[in-house]
Amino acid sequence: LARVRGSAQFAALAVGVAVIDSHCHLAGDKFTDDLEAVVARARAAGLERVLTILEAGDPVEAGQAARLEQLWPDCRVAVGVH
């Protein structure tokens, strides 16, 4: 997100359209400790919505997705099976 933050924000302002991340992994354990800050930075960068991909059958990611939904009601979740 830090790499594209400026360009995403610019695109949203310049074009006047919603910026949506259609494939992210915010429910992963990498974001457990700072999910609130990650969401705040994403929204400040101009992201309006995200589609978070979960690993099928992972109860930890399911719990993190529920937490994400509380922080960002416009997030959506999909389950991936590989």
Side-chain angles (χ1 to χ4, degrees), residues 23-38:
H23 186 122
C24 62
H25 294 271
L26 294 178
D29 60 354
K30 181 177 183 176
F31 299 109
T32 299
D33 294 335
D34 66 344
L35 185 60
E36 294 86 357
V38 170

Side-chain angles (χ1 to χ4, degrees), residues 32-60:
T32 299
D33 294 335
D34 66 344
L35 185 60
E36 294 86 357
V38 170
V39 167
R41 286 193 307 270
R43 295 178 90 173
L47 286 175
E48 292 189 20
R49 293 180 178 85
V50 295
L51 175 62
T52 301
I53 311 302
L54 304 180
E55 181 180 346
D58 186 330
V60 174

